[in-house]
Amino acid sequence: MIAQVRPQDLAQWLNGVRAIGEPVVLDVREPHEIQTASVTADGFTLLAIPMHSIPARLAELGPQQPIACLCHHGGRSMQVAHFLAGHGFEHLANIAGGIHAWSAELDPSIARY
């Protein structure tokens, strides 16, 4: 099952999975989007792999690793989370609302685009 986690609830999800392994926020947006707006790793490892590159770079991720997927609004990240689940990944979350919601709920200094 893929958890739907609002940015304001992400810290709670991260704490809940920390015993499994170091949590990762997987930003699946394109490089130009990340240049426009990005989060700061705080209590997690931040890894940026564009959505289209995930299949080729799957070995960079561990199937037991807790991964929360992030995109602009939550659609692409949910697709990536489903893809990962189909490849045996077990501890997954989709950051609902994406970086747009992150800006609104956690850090208004993050640009909205």
Side-chain angles (χ1 to χ4, degrees), residues 20-32:
I20 298 164
E22 176 65 24
V24 169
V25 169
L26 178 60
D27 192 332
V28 301
R29 296 175 300 140
E30 295 297 317
H32 72 275

Side-chain angles (χ1 to χ4, degrees), residues 48-93:
I49 303 176
M51 180 179 174
H52 70 277
S53 298
I54 296 291
R57 296 179 61 186
L58 196 57
E60 294 178 38
L61 304 168
Q64 292 299 315
Q65 190 172 32
I67 300 172
C69 300
L70 174 70
C71 69
H72 190 192
H73 288 291
R76 285 177 285 175
S77 54
M78 190 62 179
Q79 290 177 11
V80 169
H82 280 295
F83 175 82
L84 294 175
H87 284 81
F89 288 72
E90 298 179 17
H91 309 288
L92 299 167

Side-chain angles (χ1 to χ4, degrees), residues 1-17:
M1 179 174 168
I2 299 167
Q4 291 292 319
V5 180
R6 296 291 307 177
Q8 65 191 8
D9 300 322
L10 182 61
Q12 180 180 352
W13 185 84
L14 294 170
N15 288 333
V17 296

